[in-house]
Amino acid sequence: MDDARVWSFERDLWIGDAELYARSIDDACLMVLARPPFILTGAEAVDAVSATPRWLDVEFSEQRISRPQEGLLVAAYRVRASTPEVESFEAHCSTTYRRLAHEEWRVVQHQQAAAPLA
């Protein structure tokens, strides 16, 4: 997956609907979030997204991508996101993707660490 597709995929995970999220998150995924609930499995994350409003505005900075081996990539970045209910949320994030088939990728890890608002 090229860099532009990684960032597009990552953005879609923040703003996309629950169906897209369910297709993108691996059952074996583990997530550590900056807000409760703090630790989720893949199925728990999909359920949580289905029950919460999606982010409307998302901006990435400090973006980096690593490809430690074939079929595995890690994206790290700072995010600023908001909804009508949440004026601004900032975090440092990492997401690990695993390739299942030729161009089919799934999230197997995602972590957020709250960042001070800039």
Side-chain angles (χ1 to χ4, degrees):
M1 179 165 27
D2 68 26
D3 289 6
R5 185 166 171 226
V6 172
W7 298 119
S8 176
F9 196 99
E10 197 69 28
R11 179 177 168 71
D12 288 348
L13 291 171
W14 283 86
I15 65 171
D17 63 20
E19 184 179 315
L20 176 133
Y21 204 80
R23 287 191 318 265
S24 304
I25 305 300
D26 196 273
D27 290 340
C29 183
L30 289 177
M31 293 192 181
V32 177
L33 305 179
R35 303 181 317 168
F38 294 107
I39 301 174
L40 301 171
T41 65
E44 291 167 338
V46 169
D47 288 346
V49 163
S50 298
T52 58
R54 304 304 291 142
W55 298 100
L56 298 178
D57 185 38
V58 176
E59 296 176 23
F60 297 144
S61 62
E62 302 176 42
Q63 297 161 271
R64 302 235 168 84
I65 295 176
S66 171
R67 292 174 173 81
Q69 69 181 50
E70 182 68 27
L72 188 68
L73 68 85
V74 181
Y77 57 96
R78 183 177 180 127
V79 66
R80 172 178 262 176
S82 63
T83 69
E85 297 81 24
V86 179
E87 186 173 316
S88 190
F89 167 75
E90 289 197 33
H92 293 99
C93 303
S94 67
T95 305
T96 304
Y97 296 88
R98 176 180 62 175
R99 186 174 58 215
L100 300 179
H102 176 61
E103 283 301 317
E104 183 180 359
W105 293 80
R106 293 268 165 59
V107 174
V108 294
Q109 176 276 334
H110 178 75
Q111 182 164 350
Q112 301 173 353
L117 296 178

